[in-house]
């Protein structure tokens, strides 16, 4: 056997095994690409699926290595390994041991899987910074094999079974998984590493503010970024430039802010975002700060317990319920002589416990000019929100779906007396209702019973509301003007929607609703007055 060329002998034996089980093989014309044979499996019908949707038959590339030794190791050039690991289809090394005899004594099949792919990629990256690192044909990597890789017997059936074992979910899934490996191996801790110089007089402050979302971007003087794989930087920078903008994608944790007037009071809660800088562990402890932000409030808390508190009184996109809660907090702050307690809860509350008192707040927070109307303060606007919520509850409008801000809330009450009237009707507060008429009603008599039937409309945030109402009461003269003092309200048809054209579309229904109210009161001796708004 010493004079026999083991290479052709091993390839011949491998060919025999494939032919035993109807595997088609194609021989590589020149072994420069790391493989000897392309092995193709036959179609595998399942007697259920139509042929046009059968999965692709298995195929793979195999490099055959023959040896008389039993050292269970073979040095393979990195250039060949590089080609095999980048091949989209499965690849194997088939080691055939002859041990000085004319027939194979053992056959081992080694799958070029995750372990070999990782070792190859890492070795190539390690060589990159060396003088001849790009000459992969001058470097080798040992591929080992052992009992776990040995075929049960030297038959085509064993060979076929061993190949199939490594492609259990078919070609398409195998290729998908291999591509994913090639993209992610070595990048588990990030793909890039860089250095940059900030255009700043206090880089720690600015990078903290960027990571907390306080600022959106920073100016940089210069930057160098390298591709990093297996912790090894690339020889050539991925990016190297002067000037630029640095920004970070900041992802907060979910949290809850709770404001409490007293330690054991239930408190008023708001969903919030908690921002914790990933740079906290690299900076002096006295520079650490965190940020808690809700739709209306923002707290920036430094390790020295310095707390920067701000509000967004005209936050957009808030619901009526959220707005009412915010106004309630501001009303407490405005009226209370004691500091209000603020607590924050999150999934890492044990690491970052937050509980503090708000005191010595700037008076600018309570300046009435914020409302552009001296008649309003936080307490007054909170009353409006409470009235709006009561209307929504009585009319089955989900208060979480009413989107409104302070300006819109004030406008709703300031520009339309109808909303006040409807609130009084719904709450049963009739005695305080006194409607004045610019023209004396027909058949007017002092003290006579009368009913005013009217239709009111108004907006609350994104909702338009219309309602048929009847106010029953007594006619009288208030000064020199006729009026009706309310005794009872009747509510008829109501119309609710977010489409401004709803009342135009419902004109006939509105008229019908007013007539229904009149018919309901027909048996009572009342003077009827119709008003449409």
């Amino acid at each position: 056997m010493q004079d026999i060329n083991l290479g052709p002998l091993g390839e011949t034996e491998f060919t025999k095994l494939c032919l035993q089980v109807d595997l088609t093989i194609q021989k590589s014309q020149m072994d420069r690409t790391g493989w000897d044979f392309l092995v193709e499996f036959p179609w595998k019908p399942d007697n259920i699926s139509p042929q046009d949707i059968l999965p692709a038959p298995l195929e793979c590339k195999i490099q055959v290595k023959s040896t008389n030794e039993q050292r269970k190791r073979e040095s393979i050039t990195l250039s060949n390994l590089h080609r095999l690991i980048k091949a989209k289809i499965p690849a194997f090394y088939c080691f055939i041991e002859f041990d000085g005899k004319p027939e194979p004594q053992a056959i081992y099949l080694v799958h070029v899987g995750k372990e070999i792919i990782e070792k190859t990629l890492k070795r190539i990256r390690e060589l990159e910074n060396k003088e001849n690192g790009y000459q992969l044909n001058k470097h080798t990597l040992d591929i080992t094999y052992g009992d776990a890789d040995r075929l049960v017997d030297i038959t085509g059936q064993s060979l076929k079974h061993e190949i199939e074992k490594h492609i259990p979910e078919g070609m398409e899934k195998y290729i998908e998984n291999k591509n994913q490996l090639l993209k992610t191996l070595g990048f588990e801790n990030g793909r890039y590493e860089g250095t940059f110089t900030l255009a700043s007089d206090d880089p720690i402050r600015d990078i903290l503010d960027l990571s907390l979302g306080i600022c959106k971007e920073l100016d940089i003087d210069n930057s160098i970024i390298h591709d990093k794989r297996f912790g090894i930087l690339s020889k050539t920078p991925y990016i190297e430039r002067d000037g630029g903008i640095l920004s970070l994608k900041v992802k907060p944790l979910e949290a809850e802010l709770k404001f409490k007037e007293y330690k054991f009071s239930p408190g008023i809660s708001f969903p919030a975002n908690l921002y914790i800088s990933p740079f906290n562990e690299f900076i002096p402890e006295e520079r650490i700060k965190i940020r808690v932000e809700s739709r209306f409030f923002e707290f920036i808390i430094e390790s020295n317990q310095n707390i920067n508190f701000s509000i967004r009184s005209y936050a957009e996109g808030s619901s009526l319920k959220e707005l009412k809660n915010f106004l309630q907090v501001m009303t407490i702050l405005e009226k209370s002589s004691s500091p209000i307690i603020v607590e924050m809860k999150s999934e890492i509350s044990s690491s970052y416990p937050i509980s503090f008192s708000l005191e010595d707040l700037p008076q600018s927070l309570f300046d009435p000019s914020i409302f552009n109307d001296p008649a309003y303060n936080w307490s007054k606007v909170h009353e409006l929100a409470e009235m709006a919520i009561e209307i929504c509850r009585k009319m089955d409008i989900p208060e979480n779906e009413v989107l409104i801000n302070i300006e819109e809330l004030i406008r709703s009450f300031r520009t339309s007396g109808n909303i006040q009237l409807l609130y009084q009707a719904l709450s049963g507060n009739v005695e305080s209702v006194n409607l004045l008429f610019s023209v004396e009603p027909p058949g007017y008599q002092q003290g006579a019973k009368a009913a005013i039937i009217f239709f009111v409309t108004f907006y609350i945030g994104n909702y338009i509301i219309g309602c048929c109402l009847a106010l029953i009461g007594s006619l009288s003269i208030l000064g020199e003007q006729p009026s009706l003092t309310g005794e009872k309200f009747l509510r008829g048809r109501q119309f609710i929607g977010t489409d401004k054209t709803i009342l135009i579309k419902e004109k006939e229904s509105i008229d019908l609703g007013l007539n229904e109210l009149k018919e309901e009161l027909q048996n009572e001796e009342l003077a009827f007055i119709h008003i449409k708004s």
Side-chain angles (χ1 to χ4, degrees):
M1 278 295 294
Q2 298 301 323
D3 298 330
I4 295 178
N5 189 334
L6 287 179
L9 183 59
E11 291 179 1
T12 299
E13 292 297 332
F14 180 81
T15 301
K16 288 179 182 178
L17 296 181
C18 290
L19 294 176
Q20 288 176 14
V21 285
D22 198 26
L23 298 181
T24 302
I25 58 174
Q26 296 182 39
K27 180 75 171 69
S28 174
Q29 295 301 311
M30 298 182 67
D31 183 10
R32 292 182 179 175
T33 57
W35 59 276
D36 296 313
F37 295 97
L38 175 65
V39 178
E40 298 176 313
F41 281 57
W43 286 96
K44 190 175 182 181
D46 58 11
N47 299 321
I48 297 175
S49 304
Q51 292 192 52
D52 60 299
I53 61 173
L54 288 176
L58 304 187
E59 57 181 88
C60 60
K61 290 180 176 180
I62 295 186
Q63 174 80 52
V64 177
K65 297 288 186 182
S66 304
T67 178
N68 269 330
E69 303 176 9
Q70 297 185 11
R71 61 194 185 116
K72 303 294 188 289
R73 179 186 303 274
E74 187 75 26
S75 294
I76 309 294
T77 64
L78 279 176
S79 56
N80 280 355
L81 273 168
H82 196 199
R83 281 185 170 272
L84 272 191
I85 67 169
K86 293 293 178 69
K88 300 302 180 187
I89 63 175
F92 298 87
Y93 282 99
C94 183
F95 296 101
I96 302 179
E97 289 185 350
F98 286 92
D99 298 341
K101 298 179 182 177
E103 296 84 19
Q105 301 303 299
I107 297 180
Y108 301 82
L109 191 74
V110 176
H111 176 226
V112 181
K114 179 181 177 182
E115 183 179 347
I116 292 177
I117 292 173
E118 186 169 10
K119 286 172 61 178
T120 303
L121 292 173
K122 186 175 182 180
R123 183 62 178 145
I124 291 172
R125 177 54 67 101
E126 289 170 343
L127 290 170
E128 183 182 355
N129 295 318
K130 296 190 176 180
E131 188 174 343
N132 64 342
Y134 288 106
Q135 296 176 305
L136 299 183
N137 60 317
K138 297 184 180 296
H139 300 275
T140 62
L141 193 68
D142 283 351
I143 301 298
T144 59
Y145 53 96
D147 291 341
D149 309 300
R150 183 169 180 166
L151 300 189
V152 175
D153 50 37
I154 304 173
T155 64
Q157 190 61 43
S158 287
L159 175 65
K160 180 181 178 184
H161 173 74
E162 196 64 24
I163 294 173
E164 290 173 330
K165 185 175 75 174
H166 293 284
I167 320 171
E169 299 178 88
M171 290 295 292
E172 185 176 341
K173 188 64 176 177
Y174 181 95
I175 293 170
E176 178 187 334
N177 291 340
K178 187 172 184 180
N179 283 337
Q180 186 65 16
L181 272 179
L182 291 168
K183 288 179 182 177
T184 58
L185 280 174
F187 296 126
E188 292 82 2
N189 296 318
R191 177 155 191 165
Y192 302 103
E193 183 174 301
T195 59
F196 54 85
T197 304
L198 291 177
S200 168
D201 59 347
D202 190 343
I204 292 179
R205 176 201 64 206
D206 290 345
I207 199 69
L208 276 177
D209 286 352
L210 182 67
S211 64
L212 295 174
I214 297 171
C215 64
K216 301 304 179 186
E217 55 186 38
L218 297 175
D219 292 327
I220 55 178
D221 285 336
N222 57 70
S223 57
I224 300 176
I225 298 175
H226 288 265
D227 183 284
K228 183 177 73 170
R229 195 168 203 176
F230 303 106
I232 305 167
L233 300 183
S234 59
K235 183 177 181 180
T236 305
Y238 178 71
I239 294 175
E240 185 174 14
R241 62 181 59 170
D242 293 329
I245 299 293
L246 177 65
S247 61
L248 291 176
K249 186 176 182 181
V250 180
K251 186 177 182 181
L253 300 171
E254 290 185 2
E256 178 189 49
L257 269 178
K258 182 175 286 188
F259 294 81
K260 302 171 73 172
E261 194 169 2
Y262 309 105
K263 183 176 181 180
F264 298 107
S265 60
I268 306 161
S269 297
F270 299 86
N273 292 321
L274 170 63
Y275 297 84
I276 299 175
S277 174
F279 303 112
N280 279 351
E281 58 182 297
F282 306 112
I283 63 173
E285 185 176 346
E286 63 271 15
R287 298 296 302 270
I288 291 174
K289 59 183 175 183
I290 64 174
R291 175 179 171 231
V292 187
E293 175 198 44
S294 72
R295 191 183 300 277
F296 294 98
F297 303 100
E298 179 182 62
F299 295 92
I300 298 172
I301 305 164
E302 300 180 26
S303 58
N304 61 5
Q305 292 303 304
N306 181 38
I307 299 172
N308 187 331
F309 167 54
S310 59
I311 65 169
R312 302 183 185 95
S313 57
Y314 286 97
E316 296 296 330
S318 57
S319 69
L320 180 58
K321 182 178 181 180
E322 288 176 305
L323 181 61
K324 188 269 293 184
N325 287 344
F326 164 68
L327 293 168
Q328 185 177 352
V329 170
M330 296 307 296
T331 299
I332 294 172
L333 288 172
E334 185 178 49
K335 291 182 174 181
S336 179
S337 58
S338 303
I340 193 170
I341 300 168
V342 183
E343 296 176 349
M344 190 276 293
K345 293 182 180 179
S346 74
E347 59 188 69
I348 57 168
S349 294
S350 57
S351 303
Y352 288 87
I354 296 178
S355 180
F356 54 88
S357 298
L358 282 179
E359 47 191 326
D360 299 325
L361 297 175
Q363 285 304 306
S364 58
L365 291 178
F366 312 108
D367 189 341
S369 64
I370 194 173
F371 304 111
N372 299 316
D373 189 328
Y376 291 97
N377 57 19
W378 290 111
S379 177
K380 177 64 176 176
V381 180
H382 178 239
E383 288 177 14
L384 300 185
E386 291 277 20
M387 291 168 63
I389 280 185
E390 183 64 20
I391 290 172
C392 289
R393 287 174 179 168
K394 295 286 187 181
M395 301 191 76
D396 297 322
I397 301 174
E399 57 204 74
N400 282 328
E401 294 180 8
V402 178
L403 304 180
I404 194 168
N405 60 34
I406 289 177
E407 185 177 6
E408 293 165 338
L409 179 65
I410 292 175
R411 189 189 309 126
S412 294
F413 282 86
R414 186 165 50 196
T415 60
S416 174
N418 295 336
I419 190 170
Q420 297 268 14
L421 192 62
L422 181 60
Y423 173 74
Q424 290 169 312
L426 296 174
S427 61
N429 184 16
V430 183
E431 292 78 10
S432 62
V433 178
N434 206 297
L435 293 182
L436 303 178
F437 308 104
S438 57
V439 178
E440 185 174 304
Y444 172 84
Q445 290 183 1
Q446 178 78 8
K449 294 291 185 181
I452 300 178
I453 298 174
F454 54 102
F455 182 71
V456 295
T457 63
F458 57 90
Y459 287 92
I460 294 183
N462 56 322
Y463 272 79
I464 183 168
I465 298 173
C467 187
C468 296
L469 291 175
L471 174 64
I472 300 104
S474 300
L475 292 169
S476 62
I477 292 290
L478 186 63
E480 295 182 356
Q481 198 169 12
S483 67
L484 184 138
T485 302
E487 297 175 1
K488 181 172 69 172
F489 258 122
L490 290 181
R491 177 161 50 122
R493 294 192 181 201
Q494 59 192 39
F495 303 86
I496 302 166
T498 55
D499 182 355
K500 294 182 180 180
T501 64
I502 182 174
L503 301 183
I504 299 174
K505 296 175 181 177
E506 298 289 348
K507 184 178 182 305
E508 291 185 6
S509 294
I510 292 170
D511 290 338
L512 183 59
L514 294 172
N515 287 329
E516 287 172 348
L517 285 174
K518 186 172 183 180
E519 289 173 6
E520 188 174 347
L521 297 169
Q522 201 69 52
N523 294 331
E524 300 186 32
E525 293 183 3
L526 299 170
F528 288 99
I529 305 164
H530 280 269
I531 299 176
K532 266 199 176 184
S533 64

